Amino acid sequence: MKNIDILIIGAGISGTVLAERYASLGKKVLIIEKRDHIAGNCYDYIDENGILVSKYGAHLFHTNEESVWHYVQKFSEWYPWEHKVVARVDDKTVPIPVNITTVNTLFGENITSEEDMQSWLENNRKPFEKPANGEEAVLNRVGEKLYEKMFKHYTKKQWDKFPAELDASVLERIPVRNNYDDRYFSDKYQALPKGGYTQLFDRILANNNIEVLLNTDYFDVMNEYSGFEKLFYTGPVDRFFGFKHSMDEKLEYRSINFVSETFEQEYFQENSVVNYPGMEVDFTRIIEYKHFGNQKSEKTTVVKEFTVDEGEPYYPVPNPRNQKIYDKYKEEADKLTHVYFVGRLANYKYFNMDQAFKNALDLFASLEEKDSENYKAVI
Ligand code: FAD
């Protein structure tokens, strides 16, 4: 067996950043990844139409974190990409998040100023002092009309639950704009890596101190590895503990079926992402990858996303049942020394990419500060 200082499970953002940081200290790092590729859910590749597509759904990078922006720029050039999303509602096409244009188009209004939009929302919203569930949270923000057209059925498709069956927290912070801003995100930095995410991860991992073992499930080989200083685990937390607190029921996740089609035409739709918030179709959105970076091809690749119960775990389902199960695992995880649970699956929490970068960078900084203090105390 080789000499390993740091063992990392998972080659997504969390595992890759920790590997790079420890390798930069001269530590020997092994990453074990069960899939046949690096980059976790950010993985992208050139498909049969010559178009860069993301295997696990479109990934738009956006952040206000200077440290994260600084870090990712070291490994790739980035081009500015201000993401926009539109929705098809009642045969109309409207911007998402809801803004002045959305309300004017859907309800035949003639709002022209932030003040007018504010009063439209005030007149339509149904105030709840303390919304008890997702439905009350949305009604409190935007009222019945927008709730019915934009949120009720989309939520059902996304979570297989109506908003009334979800915690208020899930829908409390839905973005609504009082102006014409039609950007999906409002963060300071919004960009995509030139050459794609897989190339970015490849470059982060380009260090002789890092070895990546693909196609290997950690739990099949765990007994072969020992004697390392630290283990970073980025897989599902309940799997690590053999599902022992799950009372025959696993932590719930929502998954996505990605259904890809090729069209022999230049473009299929006018925008990279078109959402379908209504019940007239089963899918939640259609992505046309060619739009990202204005790629050229005679054909176009289009992917429909169907949110489903079974499959790869993507979105943790935030409700009291799952929180209770997760808390038990967290208690056990906290007792372990030299084993760290990092990233979205290990923390049973949805992270945007920048949060995943930041968590990994912060964890490294906190451990190394601590370790160097220990080291100083020993010498
Ligand atoms: P992951 O990327 O999931 O990496 C974990 C890795 O561990 C995986 O590769 C997995 O195969 C591996 N693994 C698990 N168990 C084992 C095991 N037993 N043995 C070996 N390997 C194992 N964020 C944004 O900022 N913008 C977006 O537009 C965006 N879009 C998204 C769209 C979708 C559909 C999804 C699901 C997420 C999106 N995200 C987006 C979030 C982004 O994907 C996450 O922030 C990021 O993937 C988190 O990285 P991670 O390292 O925590 O997890």
Short mmCIF file of all heavy atoms in Angstrom, two decimals, residues 182-226:
data_model
loop_
_atom_site.label_atom_id
_atom_site.label_comp_id
_atom_site.label_asym_id
_atom_site.label_seq_id
_atom_site.Cartn_x
_atom_site.Cartn_y
_atom_site.Cartn_z
N ASP A 182 -33.64 41.53 -15.11
CA ASP A 182 -34.03 40.16 -15.50
C ASP A 182 -32.87 39.18 -15.37
O ASP A 182 -32.90 38.09 -15.95
CB ASP A 182 -34.63 40.13 -16.91
CG ASP A 182 -33.63 40.56 -17.97
OD1 ASP A 182 -32.52 41.04 -17.61
OD2 ASP A 182 -33.95 40.41 -19.17
N ARG A 183 -31.85 39.55 -14.57
CA ARG A 183 -30.77 38.58 -14.34
C ARG A 183 -31.24 37.59 -13.27
O ARG A 183 -31.92 37.98 -12.32
CB ARG A 183 -29.51 39.29 -13.85
CG ARG A 183 -28.89 40.21 -14.90
CD ARG A 183 -27.78 41.03 -14.29
NE ARG A 183 -28.24 41.69 -13.07
CZ ARG A 183 -27.45 42.06 -12.08
NH1 ARG A 183 -26.16 41.86 -12.15
NH2 ARG A 183 -27.94 42.67 -11.00
N TYR A 184 -30.86 36.35 -13.43
CA TYR A 184 -31.31 35.33 -12.48
C TYR A 184 -30.63 35.50 -11.12
O TYR A 184 -31.22 35.27 -10.08
CB TYR A 184 -31.03 33.94 -13.05
CG TYR A 184 -31.80 32.86 -12.34
CD1 TYR A 184 -33.18 32.80 -12.43
CD2 TYR A 184 -31.14 31.89 -11.59
CE1 TYR A 184 -33.89 31.79 -11.78
CE2 TYR A 184 -31.85 30.89 -10.94
CZ TYR A 184 -33.23 30.86 -11.04
OH TYR A 184 -33.93 29.87 -10.40
N PHE A 185 -29.36 35.91 -11.16
CA PHE A 185 -28.61 36.12 -9.92
C PHE A 185 -28.21 37.59 -9.85
O PHE A 185 -28.07 38.25 -10.88
CB PHE A 185 -27.32 35.29 -9.92
CG PHE A 185 -27.54 33.82 -10.15
CD1 PHE A 185 -27.12 33.21 -11.33
CD2 PHE A 185 -28.18 33.04 -9.20
CE1 PHE A 185 -27.32 31.85 -11.55
CE2 PHE A 185 -28.39 31.68 -9.42
CZ PHE A 185 -27.96 31.09 -10.59
N SER A 186 -27.99 38.09 -8.62
CA SER A 186 -27.52 39.48 -8.56
C SER A 186 -26.13 39.57 -7.93
O SER A 186 -25.70 40.64 -7.52
CB SER A 186 -28.52 40.36 -7.81
OG SER A 186 -29.13 39.65 -6.79
N ASP A 187 -25.39 38.45 -7.87
CA ASP A 187 -24.07 38.46 -7.25
C ASP A 187 -23.08 39.30 -8.06
O ASP A 187 -23.23 39.51 -9.26
CB ASP A 187 -23.51 37.03 -7.16
CG ASP A 187 -24.29 36.20 -6.17
OD1 ASP A 187 -25.30 36.69 -5.65
OD2 ASP A 187 -23.90 35.06 -5.93
N LYS A 188 -22.03 39.72 -7.36
CA LYS A 188 -21.00 40.57 -7.97
C LYS A 188 -20.27 39.85 -9.11
O LYS A 188 -20.00 40.43 -10.15
CB LYS A 188 -20.01 40.98 -6.88
CG LYS A 188 -18.92 41.89 -7.32
CD LYS A 188 -18.17 42.44 -6.12
CE LYS A 188 -16.96 43.25 -6.57
NZ LYS A 188 -16.07 43.53 -5.44
N TYR A 189 -19.93 38.59 -8.88
CA TYR A 189 -19.20 37.83 -9.91
C TYR A 189 -20.13 36.76 -10.49
O TYR A 189 -20.67 35.93 -9.75
CB TYR A 189 -17.95 37.16 -9.32
CG TYR A 189 -17.02 38.16 -8.69
CD1 TYR A 189 -16.87 38.21 -7.30
CD2 TYR A 189 -16.31 39.07 -9.46
CE1 TYR A 189 -16.03 39.14 -6.71
CE2 TYR A 189 -15.47 40.01 -8.88
CZ TYR A 189 -15.34 40.03 -7.50
OH TYR A 189 -14.50 40.96 -6.92
N GLN A 190 -20.31 36.82 -11.81
CA GLN A 190 -21.13 35.81 -12.50
C GLN A 190 -20.36 35.44 -13.76
O GLN A 190 -20.15 36.29 -14.62
CB GLN A 190 -22.49 36.39 -12.88
CG GLN A 190 -23.25 36.98 -11.70
CD GLN A 190 -24.68 37.40 -12.05
OE1 GLN A 190 -25.30 36.82 -12.92
NE2 GLN A 190 -25.17 38.41 -11.37
N ALA A 191 -19.93 34.19 -13.84
CA ALA A 191 -19.05 33.82 -14.96
C ALA A 191 -19.06 32.32 -15.17
O ALA A 191 -19.53 31.57 -14.31
CB ALA A 191 -17.62 34.29 -14.64
N LEU A 192 -18.54 31.90 -16.33
CA LEU A 192 -18.39 30.47 -16.61
C LEU A 192 -16.93 30.20 -16.99
O LEU A 192 -16.28 31.07 -17.60
CB LEU A 192 -19.31 30.05 -17.77
CG LEU A 192 -20.82 30.09 -17.45
CD1 LEU A 192 -21.64 29.80 -18.71
CD2 LEU A 192 -21.17 29.09 -16.36
N PRO A 193 -16.42 29.01 -16.63
CA PRO A 193 -15.01 28.72 -16.94
C PRO A 193 -14.83 28.45 -18.44
O PRO A 193 -15.54 27.61 -19.00
CB PRO A 193 -14.71 27.46 -16.12
CG PRO A 193 -16.04 26.84 -15.85
CD PRO A 193 -17.08 27.91 -15.92
N LYS A 194 -13.89 29.15 -19.05
CA LYS A 194 -13.57 28.88 -20.47
C LYS A 194 -13.05 27.47 -20.54
O LYS A 194 -12.15 27.10 -19.80
CB LYS A 194 -12.46 29.83 -20.94
CG LYS A 194 -12.97 31.09 -21.55
CD LYS A 194 -11.82 31.87 -22.19
CE LYS A 194 -12.32 33.27 -22.50
NZ LYS A 194 -11.26 34.21 -22.82
N GLY A 195 -13.61 26.63 -21.41
CA GLY A 195 -13.13 25.25 -21.48
C GLY A 195 -13.91 24.32 -20.56
O GLY A 195 -13.68 23.11 -20.56
N GLY A 196 -14.81 24.86 -19.76
CA GLY A 196 -15.71 24.03 -18.97
C GLY A 196 -15.21 23.69 -17.57
O GLY A 196 -14.06 23.96 -17.20
N TYR A 197 -16.10 23.07 -16.81
CA TYR A 197 -15.80 22.75 -15.40
C TYR A 197 -14.84 21.57 -15.28
O TYR A 197 -13.97 21.57 -14.41
CB TYR A 197 -17.09 22.42 -14.64
CG TYR A 197 -17.92 23.65 -14.36
CD1 TYR A 197 -18.99 23.99 -15.15
CD2 TYR A 197 -17.60 24.49 -13.28
CE1 TYR A 197 -19.75 25.13 -14.90
CE2 TYR A 197 -18.35 25.62 -13.02
CZ TYR A 197 -19.43 25.94 -13.83
OH TYR A 197 -20.16 27.06 -13.57
N THR A 198 -14.97 20.56 -16.14
CA THR A 198 -14.11 19.39 -15.99
C THR A 198 -12.65 19.81 -16.18
O THR A 198 -11.76 19.37 -15.44
CB THR A 198 -14.51 18.29 -17.00
OG1 THR A 198 -15.91 18.03 -16.82
CG2 THR A 198 -13.73 17.01 -16.78
N GLN A 199 -12.42 20.70 -17.14
CA GLN A 199 -11.05 21.20 -17.34
C GLN A 199 -10.57 21.97 -16.10
O GLN A 199 -9.43 21.85 -15.68
CB GLN A 199 -11.00 22.10 -18.57
CG GLN A 199 -9.59 22.50 -18.92
CD GLN A 199 -9.56 23.53 -20.03
OE1 GLN A 199 -9.77 24.72 -19.81
NE2 GLN A 199 -9.34 23.07 -21.24
N LEU A 200 -11.46 22.74 -15.52
CA LEU A 200 -11.11 23.49 -14.29
C LEU A 200 -10.68 22.52 -13.19
O LEU A 200 -9.63 22.69 -12.55
CB LEU A 200 -12.33 24.30 -13.83
CG LEU A 200 -12.28 24.88 -12.42
CD1 LEU A 200 -11.34 26.09 -12.36
CD2 LEU A 200 -13.68 25.29 -11.93
N PHE A 201 -11.46 21.45 -13.00
CA PHE A 201 -11.13 20.48 -11.94
C PHE A 201 -9.82 19.74 -12.26
O PHE A 201 -9.02 19.47 -11.36
CB PHE A 201 -12.27 19.46 -11.78
CG PHE A 201 -13.43 20.00 -10.98
CD1 PHE A 201 -14.25 21.00 -11.47
CD2 PHE A 201 -13.69 19.51 -9.72
CE1 PHE A 201 -15.30 21.50 -10.73
CE2 PHE A 201 -14.75 20.00 -8.96
CZ PHE A 201 -15.57 20.99 -9.47
N ASP A 202 -9.64 19.42 -13.52
CA ASP A 202 -8.41 18.77 -13.97
C ASP A 202 -7.20 19.61 -13.56
O ASP A 202 -6.19 19.08 -13.08
CB ASP A 202 -8.47 18.70 -15.50
CG ASP A 202 -8.07 17.35 -16.00
OD1 ASP A 202 -7.89 16.44 -15.19
OD2 ASP A 202 -7.94 17.22 -17.24
N ARG A 203 -7.34 20.90 -13.76
CA ARG A 203 -6.20 21.79 -13.45
C ARG A 203 -6.01 21.93 -11.94
O ARG A 203 -4.89 22.05 -11.46
CB ARG A 203 -6.44 23.17 -14.07
CG ARG A 203 -6.33 23.13 -15.58
CD ARG A 203 -6.60 24.48 -16.13
NE ARG A 203 -6.49 24.51 -17.58
CZ ARG A 203 -6.77 25.56 -18.32
NH1 ARG A 203 -7.18 26.69 -17.74
NH2 ARG A 203 -6.66 25.52 -19.62
N ILE A 204 -7.10 21.94 -11.18
CA ILE A 204 -6.95 22.03 -9.72
C ILE A 204 -6.23 20.78 -9.20
O ILE A 204 -5.44 20.84 -8.27
CB ILE A 204 -8.32 22.20 -9.02
CG1 ILE A 204 -9.07 23.44 -9.52
CG2 ILE A 204 -8.14 22.32 -7.50
CD1 ILE A 204 -10.46 23.65 -8.92
N LEU A 205 -6.49 19.66 -9.87
CA LEU A 205 -5.91 18.39 -9.40
C LEU A 205 -4.52 18.11 -9.97
O LEU A 205 -3.91 17.09 -9.64
CB LEU A 205 -6.85 17.23 -9.79
CG LEU A 205 -8.20 17.20 -9.06
CD1 LEU A 205 -9.14 16.19 -9.70
CD2 LEU A 205 -8.01 16.87 -7.58
N ALA A 206 -4.04 19.01 -10.84
CA ALA A 206 -2.74 18.76 -11.51
C ALA A 206 -1.57 18.99 -10.55
O ALA A 206 -0.92 20.04 -10.57
CB ALA A 206 -2.61 19.66 -12.74
N ASN A 207 -1.34 18.03 -9.70
CA ASN A 207 -0.25 18.12 -8.74
C ASN A 207 0.24 16.68 -8.53
O ASN A 207 -0.58 15.78 -8.31
CB ASN A 207 -0.79 18.71 -7.42
CG ASN A 207 0.30 18.93 -6.39
OD1 ASN A 207 1.13 18.05 -6.15
ND2 ASN A 207 0.30 20.10 -5.77
N ASN A 208 1.55 16.48 -8.58
CA ASN A 208 2.07 15.12 -8.47
C ASN A 208 1.77 14.46 -7.13
O ASN A 208 1.89 13.25 -6.98
CB ASN A 208 3.60 15.12 -8.68
CG ASN A 208 3.91 15.39 -10.15
OD1 ASN A 208 3.07 15.14 -11.02
ND2 ASN A 208 5.10 15.94 -10.42
N ASN A 209 1.41 15.26 -6.16
CA ASN A 209 1.08 14.68 -4.85
C ASN A 209 -0.35 14.14 -4.78
O ASN A 209 -0.77 13.62 -3.76
CB ASN A 209 1.25 15.74 -3.74
CG ASN A 209 2.71 16.07 -3.51
OD1 ASN A 209 3.57 15.20 -3.70
ND2 ASN A 209 3.00 17.30 -3.13
N ILE A 210 -1.11 14.34 -5.87
CA ILE A 210 -2.52 13.89 -5.85
C ILE A 210 -2.71 12.70 -6.78
O ILE A 210 -2.32 12.74 -7.94
CB ILE A 210 -3.47 15.02 -6.31
CG1 ILE A 210 -3.33 16.24 -5.42
CG2 ILE A 210 -4.92 14.52 -6.30
CD1 ILE A 210 -4.15 17.45 -5.89
N GLU A 211 -3.34 11.65 -6.23
CA GLU A 211 -3.73 10.52 -7.07
C GLU A 211 -5.25 10.38 -6.99
O GLU A 211 -5.83 10.53 -5.91
CB GLU A 211 -3.06 9.25 -6.56
CG GLU A 211 -3.23 8.09 -7.51
CD GLU A 211 -2.72 6.77 -6.91
OE1 GLU A 211 -1.80 6.81 -6.06
OE2 GLU A 211 -3.26 5.73 -7.29
N VAL A 212 -5.88 10.11 -8.15
CA VAL A 212 -7.33 9.96 -8.16
C VAL A 212 -7.67 8.54 -8.62
O VAL A 212 -7.22 8.10 -9.68
CB VAL A 212 -8.01 10.97 -9.11
CG1 VAL A 212 -9.54 10.83 -9.03
CG2 VAL A 212 -7.59 12.41 -8.79
N LEU A 213 -8.44 7.84 -7.80
CA LEU A 213 -8.87 6.48 -8.14
C LEU A 213 -10.35 6.54 -8.52
O LEU A 213 -11.20 6.75 -7.66
CB LEU A 213 -8.67 5.62 -6.88
CG LEU A 213 -8.66 4.12 -6.99
CD1 LEU A 213 -7.58 3.64 -7.94
CD2 LEU A 213 -8.44 3.52 -5.59
N LEU A 214 -10.64 6.41 -9.83
CA LEU A 214 -12.04 6.49 -10.28
C LEU A 214 -12.70 5.11 -10.20
O LEU A 214 -12.05 4.11 -9.91
CB LEU A 214 -12.08 7.00 -11.72
CG LEU A 214 -11.59 8.44 -11.96
CD1 LEU A 214 -11.60 8.76 -13.46
CD2 LEU A 214 -12.40 9.46 -11.19
N ASN A 215 -13.99 5.08 -10.47
CA ASN A 215 -14.76 3.82 -10.52
C ASN A 215 -14.61 2.99 -9.25
O ASN A 215 -14.66 1.76 -9.31
CB ASN A 215 -14.31 2.97 -11.72
CG ASN A 215 -14.56 3.67 -13.03
OD1 ASN A 215 -15.68 4.09 -13.31
ND2 ASN A 215 -13.50 3.85 -13.81
N THR A 216 -14.43 3.63 -8.13
CA THR A 216 -14.20 2.88 -6.89
C THR A 216 -15.08 3.42 -5.77
O THR A 216 -14.98 4.59 -5.40
CB THR A 216 -12.71 2.99 -6.45
OG1 THR A 216 -11.89 2.66 -7.57
CG2 THR A 216 -12.41 2.08 -5.29
N ASP A 217 -15.94 2.55 -5.24
CA ASP A 217 -16.75 2.95 -4.10
C ASP A 217 -15.91 2.76 -2.84
O ASP A 217 -15.39 1.67 -2.59
CB ASP A 217 -18.03 2.10 -4.04
CG ASP A 217 -19.00 2.63 -3.00
OD1 ASP A 217 -18.56 2.96 -1.87
OD2 ASP A 217 -20.20 2.74 -3.31
N TYR A 218 -15.78 3.81 -2.06
CA TYR A 218 -14.94 3.77 -0.85
C TYR A 218 -15.28 2.58 0.04
O TYR A 218 -14.40 1.92 0.58
CB TYR A 218 -15.12 5.09 -0.10
CG TYR A 218 -14.58 5.07 1.31
CD1 TYR A 218 -13.22 4.87 1.54
CD2 TYR A 218 -15.42 5.26 2.41
CE1 TYR A 218 -12.72 4.86 2.83
CE2 TYR A 218 -14.93 5.24 3.70
CZ TYR A 218 -13.58 5.03 3.91
OH TYR A 218 -13.10 5.01 5.18
N PHE A 219 -16.59 2.28 0.16
CA PHE A 219 -16.99 1.24 1.11
C PHE A 219 -16.59 -0.16 0.63
O PHE A 219 -16.58 -1.09 1.41
CB PHE A 219 -18.49 1.35 1.41
CG PHE A 219 -18.80 2.67 2.06
CD1 PHE A 219 -19.35 3.71 1.33
CD2 PHE A 219 -18.47 2.89 3.40
CE1 PHE A 219 -19.58 4.95 1.93
CE2 PHE A 219 -18.69 4.12 3.99
CZ PHE A 219 -19.25 5.15 3.25
N ASP A 220 -16.24 -0.29 -0.65
CA ASP A 220 -15.74 -1.57 -1.14
C ASP A 220 -14.26 -1.76 -0.83
O ASP A 220 -13.76 -2.88 -0.89
CB ASP A 220 -15.92 -1.68 -2.67
CG ASP A 220 -17.38 -1.72 -3.06
OD1 ASP A 220 -18.20 -2.06 -2.19
OD2 ASP A 220 -17.69 -1.40 -4.22
N VAL A 221 -13.55 -0.68 -0.58
CA VAL A 221 -12.09 -0.78 -0.44
C VAL A 221 -11.58 -0.21 0.88
O VAL A 221 -10.38 -0.14 1.11
CB VAL A 221 -11.36 -0.05 -1.61
CG1 VAL A 221 -11.69 -0.68 -2.95
CG2 VAL A 221 -11.70 1.44 -1.64
N MET A 222 -12.49 0.21 1.75
CA MET A 222 -12.08 0.97 2.94
C MET A 222 -11.06 0.22 3.81
O MET A 222 -10.18 0.83 4.41
CB MET A 222 -13.28 1.40 3.78
CG MET A 222 -14.18 0.30 4.24
SD MET A 222 -15.70 0.96 4.97
CE MET A 222 -15.10 1.62 6.50
N ASN A 223 -11.15 -1.11 3.84
CA ASN A 223 -10.22 -1.85 4.70
C ASN A 223 -8.80 -1.87 4.15
O ASN A 223 -7.86 -2.25 4.84
CB ASN A 223 -10.72 -3.28 4.91
CG ASN A 223 -12.03 -3.26 5.67
OD1 ASN A 223 -12.25 -2.34 6.47
ND2 ASN A 223 -12.90 -4.22 5.42
N GLU A 224 -8.66 -1.46 2.89
CA GLU A 224 -7.31 -1.46 2.29
C GLU A 224 -6.50 -0.24 2.66
O GLU A 224 -5.32 -0.15 2.34
CB GLU A 224 -7.43 -1.53 0.76
CG GLU A 224 -8.01 -2.84 0.27
CD GLU A 224 -8.29 -2.79 -1.22
OE1 GLU A 224 -7.58 -2.09 -1.95
OE2 GLU A 224 -9.27 -3.46 -1.63
N TYR A 225 -7.17 0.75 3.29
CA TYR A 225 -6.46 2.00 3.58
C TYR A 225 -6.46 2.28 5.07
O TYR A 225 -7.51 2.24 5.72
CB TYR A 225 -7.10 3.17 2.83
CG TYR A 225 -7.01 2.97 1.34
CD1 TYR A 225 -8.07 2.39 0.63
CD2 TYR A 225 -5.85 3.29 0.65
CE1 TYR A 225 -7.97 2.16 -0.73
CE2 TYR A 225 -5.74 3.06 -0.71
CZ TYR A 225 -6.80 2.49 -1.39
OH TYR A 225 -6.70 2.26 -2.73
N SER A 226 -5.27 2.57 5.60
CA SER A 226 -5.17 2.96 7.01
C SER A 226 -3.90 3.78 7.17
O SER A 226 -3.13 3.93 6.23
CB SER A 226 -5.13 1.72 7.91
OG SER A 226 -4.01 0.94 7.55
#
